[in-house]
Amino acid sequence: MTSRSADSNLFDDEFTPPPAAPWDDAFDHKPSPDPQVQAAEPVEAPQAEEPFADFPAAERDEDLGQWTAEADADWAFDAPPAEAAESAWDDDFDPYDSANPVGDLIADVEQVMAAPVELAPPAKAAIHAFYLLPRTGGLIEAATADRRLNGLAADVRIGGLAAALEHYAVHPPPPLILVESSEAPARLLSMVEELRRLCGSAVKLIVLGEANDIGLFRQLKRAGADDYLPSIAEEAALADAIADLRLDRALAKAGRQIAFIGARGGVGASTLAHNFAYVLAERLQSDALLADFDLAFGTAGLDFDKDPLKSVADALSSPDKLDADTLDQMLVKCSERLSLFGAPARLDQDYEIAADAFSAVLDKVKTAASTIVLDMPTAWSAWKRQALIGADEVVLVATPDLTALRNAKNLLDLLRQSRPRAMQPRLVLNQVGVPGRPEIPVKDFCEALGVKASLVLPFEPRLFGDAANHSRMVSQIAPDSKAARGIEQLAWTLSRREPPPAQKPAFLASLLKRR
């Protein structure tokens, strides 16, 4: 705080209420209580000492209740109304009254700071987990982060089954409990029975233990456990066990998301995605949904000869209005088991998609079929990154050239870092063996990326060109081709199902063939 000299004006401070202006005889101020001062004649200050001589005069604006400047060389202002003057200069004058805007601000802040703060109650966890081994703790955290359980809060603690018994002796249980135990079977059964008694029959209970014993599993079921898994179980198995208990029917119904993305434009990622979806539906007899998210240049409608009235863009423009009935109206049936959620494929508008809008639409779409095939555009965006990270499987399609190699490595590095416990992306090398084109050998390409190719497809322009021009799939026009067989094998692999055994030719047919 700076010091003032003795001869400085004491009323220069804007926070100090001014006394009766001694240079203004017309100002009607409250008389001083001192009779001698009251009787004294007002002293007119010299013009040179007037502190506001260089300022324009002001007058009161009756409409606004404020002081407004006017261009007048003489300093004079009208006195405020009598009531205002009386209240402003009484003995109980408060420098922070309503006439002072800074005082109002301070008073408002003091009032807000003094008011009690109401905090929203924390969200209740739908899953409690008590683990013993650090590896099991990481496994549980990864499993409860599965997309099918998205939105279900999980509370993971150390302590195992003993800590769970101690906790639920005084606290209410959540809908599902996971406990790990290293106790001997007899002791384990007794503790599970006690936990079931504490939590009631409505709570789902999953037990993790050391033994991989079907007999112990049956005994635990009789003791009150809903499921039993060995502690060495994989993340996917634990997530499946939680989802099978159907804590939320909508989440449990969510289908697996398989995203197809090209390392660059023109590698055939969309064509493979469409053929893959068709094989899932027709050859594997699985209900599938193909979502074309290449809004400007999507080709799914062309490949299946469909022209949907409503598209993905309509859903993204109003994600809050998308419900099961509206989504059903937007889907187009390509076959009995395959539905298409098509792209508008028009350039008369700009498609700027917010990541939140995409997530909201995808949450609705993923409950419409057991498998959701996502045809992703090449252009990079926030919602595309989010979709790839959240997908169950990512199929990266590339051609054996340097540009595709660089882009594929960048995508793989991102997904490996963002999905450390998820299934690693599958690599498909397409258009291998283009005549006259220098190519990176398949072995060198895969070694540079640190992955093995799940599928290598030769360059067959005639086959794929005929299929595209006739709006048909490769397996429809050439079911025995290498491309058709390779796509079907990829579908069996990604669906986690074993292909049927190859049928041996009948004995009579083999004899006839020999002749």
Side-chain angles (χ1 to χ4, degrees):
M1 183 174 180
T2 58
S3 58
R4 294 176 178 267
S5 60
D7 57 349
S8 64
N9 196 321
L10 296 178
F11 304 113
D12 284 347
D13 191 343
E14 59 177 327
F15 297 104
T16 306
W23 54 82
D24 190 355
D25 296 335
F27 183 72
D28 185 14
H29 60 83
K30 186 173 181 179
S32 170
D34 191 344
Q36 295 181 355
V37 175
Q38 183 177 0
E41 291 293 334
V43 180
E44 183 176 355
Q47 187 68 22
E49 297 181 2
E50 184 176 341
F52 305 105
D54 296 334
F55 286 81
E59 64 176 0
R60 182 176 178 81
D61 189 327
E62 297 298 336
D63 294 332
L64 300 177
Q66 300 175 344
W67 297 99
T68 58
E70 66 176 7
D72 192 343
D74 297 332
W75 175 258
F77 55 87
D78 297 332
E83 311 88 61
E86 198 66 30
S87 62
W89 297 105
D90 57 10
D91 295 335
D92 298 329
F93 173 74
D94 185 358
Y96 300 129
D97 63 1
S98 59
N100 190 334
V102 177
D104 291 342
L105 178 61
I106 295 176
D108 291 342
V109 172
E110 290 177 347
Q111 181 179 2
V112 171
M113 295 297 290
V117 179
E118 297 183 1
L119 298 177
K124 294 183 178 180
I127 302 174
H128 285 183
F130 296 82
Y131 68 92
L132 291 175
L133 302 176
R135 178 192 178 279
T136 307
L139 174 70
I140 293 173
E141 290 183 350
T144 53
D146 188 273
R147 55 168 186 80
R148 288 170 292 176
L149 307 176
N150 186 27
L152 296 180
D155 186 353
V156 182
R157 308 180 183 184
I158 195 170
L161 180 54
L165 287 171
E166 181 180 353
H167 180 79
Y168 297 118
V170 293
H171 295 92
L176 186 144
I177 300 173
L178 287 86
V179 292
E180 183 182 21
S181 176
S182 59
E183 301 287 345
R187 174 63 176 164
L188 175 60
L189 294 172
S190 174
M191 296 175 72
V192 169
E193 289 178 349
E194 176 65 15
L195 184 60
R196 173 57 69 191
R197 185 189 66 80
L198 290 174
C199 297
S201 59
V203 175
K204 304 297 183 181
L205 176 60
I206 298 177
V207 179
L208 302 175
E210 295 179 342
N212 189 5
D213 185 358
I214 186 63
L216 177 61
F217 169 73
R218 292 170 178 168
Q219 290 178 318
L220 285 169
K221 292 280 285 186
R222 289 194 291 269
D226 292 281
D227 203 350
Y228 172 78
L229 293 173
S231 299
I232 59 174
E234 296 297 328
E235 170 193 331
L238 182 56
D240 289 342
I242 299 173
D244 288 343
L245 294 178
R246 296 185 181 274
L247 296 177
D248 188 317
R249 293 187 180 272
L251 291 173
K253 187 184 175 183
R256 297 184 69 244
Q257 302 168 47
I258 302 176
F260 279 73
I261 174 67
R264 60 172 179 81
V267 298
S270 293
T271 300
L272 290 178
H274 304 166
N275 280 270
F276 177 87
Y278 178 84
V279 169
L280 276 177
E282 300 306 314
R283 299 287 292 173
L284 277 64
Q285 299 294 296
S286 175
D287 61 312
L289 186 150
L290 173 62
D292 189 351
F293 284 103
D294 192 351
L295 302 183
F297 301 102
T299 58
L302 285 175
D303 285 349
F304 289 97
D305 195 18
K306 300 295 181 182
D307 187 14
L309 298 177
K310 295 290 185 179
S311 66
V312 175
D314 297 304
L316 291 170
S317 62
S318 302
D320 55 327
K321 298 180 180 179
L322 185 65
D323 53 23
D325 294 334
T326 306
L327 176 61
D328 188 61
Q329 296 173 5
M330 291 182 171
L331 299 180
V332 177
K333 280 288 186 181
C334 298
S335 67
E336 182 182 353
R337 295 179 179 84
L338 178 60
S339 299
L340 171 63
F341 198 18
R346 297 170 58 184
L347 301 178
D348 56 351
Q349 59 178 311
D350 296 329
Y351 303 106
E352 296 181 359
I353 306 172
D356 293 342
F358 178 87
S359 297
V361 170
L362 194 56
D363 285 341
K364 305 291 178 60
V365 170
K366 67 186 181 184
T367 62
S370 59
T371 305
I372 314 298
V373 180
L374 305 178
D375 181 7
M376 307 299 293
T378 305
W380 192 249
S381 60
W383 65 265
K384 180 178 175 180
R385 173 191 177 114
Q386 181 174 304
L388 293 176
I389 293 175
D392 295 282
E393 295 272 7
V394 177
V395 179
L396 176 57
V397 183
T399 50
D401 56 76
L402 186 59
T403 302
L405 176 62
R406 182 203 62 181
N407 295 349
K409 186 178 187 309
N410 289 338
L411 282 168
L412 287 173
D413 290 344
L414 170 68
L415 295 175
R416 285 166 177 164
Q417 181 180 3
S418 304
R419 304 156 40 104
R421 296 186 179 93
M423 186 67 68
Q424 294 304 304
R426 313 273 183 169
L427 174 64
V428 174
L429 274 175
N430 193 25
Q431 303 174 10
V432 176
V434 176
R437 182 182 70 177
E439 294 182 350
I440 301 174
V442 173
K443 180 182 178 182
D444 296 342
F445 195 98
C446 294
E447 287 181 352
L449 297 178
V451 298
K452 292 183 178 180
S454 299
L455 178 62
V456 178
L457 292 177
F459 180 61
E460 297 183 280
R462 189 176 194 80
L463 173 61
F464 283 94
D466 288 344
N469 289 338
H470 294 87
S471 297
R472 304 186 72 186
M473 298 296 109
V474 170
S475 59
Q476 289 179 291
I477 64 174
D480 294 328
S481 63
K482 185 175 181 179
R485 294 197 306 268
I487 294 172
E488 182 174 343
Q489 182 60 44
L490 182 66
W492 284 110
T493 302
L494 268 62
S495 64
R496 299 180 180 177
R497 296 162 59 184
E498 290 294 332
Q503 295 183 352
K504 295 182 180 180
F507 179 72
L508 182 59
S510 63
L511 289 178
L512 293 175
K513 186 176 181 181
R514 289 178 184 177
R515 291 185 180 182

